[in-house]
Amino acid sequence: MKNITFDGMPVALASLHEKCDTIIALLSTIANGTSGAAMHTPIGMTEASKLLGKSPSTIYEMTSKRKIPFHKRGNKLYFFQEELLKWITDGGCSDTDYPDSGHANIDDLKAKEHLKTLQAEVRHKPKPLMS
C-alpha cells in the first residue's frame, strides 16, 4: 500500500474514480447479459422445456417435425437460448398470423403472443376406456 500525502490526494482520487467507473461498466454488462457468453451456451432439454413452458415430449415432437431450432450430436439434442428466443420472436413458423396493433415494439408483442399460444397447447393423455 502506498502512502498518500495531502498533495497527492487529487491524483489518487482520480485514479480511484476511474477504477470505480471500470468496475461499474463491467457489472452493468454482466447484469444486462450483453456479454453474450450465457446466450450462446448450449442448453439441454430440461432448460428448453422450462423456457418454452412445454413438456420434454412435446419438445421432442416439435424437433421431429422440425418446428423448432435444434442441434443434434449423436443421440443428444442441444438448443441455444438465443435461437429459441429468436424463433419465438419470428413467430415460430411462417404461417402464423398476428393481429397488428399500435404498439411501438410489435416484435415483443408477437413474441409474447406466440409464447402464450405455445404454452396453451397443453396435450393431455387419453383416459383409459376401462378403469
Side-chain angles (χ1 to χ4, degrees):
M1 187 166 181
K2 206 160 65 167
N3 287 338
I4 300 172
T5 63
F6 186 73
D7 293 333
M9 189 70 82
V11 174
L13 189 60
S15 173
L16 182 63
H17 186 64
E18 183 178 318
K19 290 176 183 179
C20 285
D21 285 343
T22 305
I23 291 171
I24 289 171
L26 287 173
L27 288 175
S28 67
T29 57
I30 291 170
N32 292 335
T34 55
S35 62
M39 293 290 280
H40 200 63
T41 306
I43 60 175
M45 177 62 69
T46 55
E47 293 91 357
S49 64
K50 285 179 186 176
L51 179 68
L52 297 175
K54 296 288 189 185
S55 69
S57 61
T58 305
I59 302 291
Y60 280 121
E61 179 185 350
M62 293 170 84
T63 57
S64 68
K65 293 181 179 179
R66 304 215 180 264
K67 288 184 168 185
I68 189 170
F70 68 96
H71 301 273
K72 189 170 184 179
R73 203 55 138 170
N75 291 334
K76 183 107 170 130
L77 288 173
Y78 296 98
F79 304 92
F80 287 102
Q81 184 175 355
E82 64 187 6
E83 288 180 353
L84 292 175
L85 293 175
K86 183 174 179 348
W87 174 73
I88 291 171
T89 304
D90 290 344
C93 56
S94 59
D95 60 348
T96 306
D97 293 325
Y98 296 100
D100 287 334
S101 78
H103 290 88
N105 195 348
I106 195 72
D107 288 338
D108 288 339
L109 178 65
K110 287 180 181 181
K112 288 177 185 175
E113 289 297 319
H114 184 66
L115 186 58
K116 283 180 188 176
T117 57
L118 281 175
Q119 291 173 343
E121 294 176 3
V122 177
R123 299 183 73 184
H124 300 285
K125 292 182 181 177
K127 300 201 186 262
L129 295 173
M130 300 211 169
S131 314

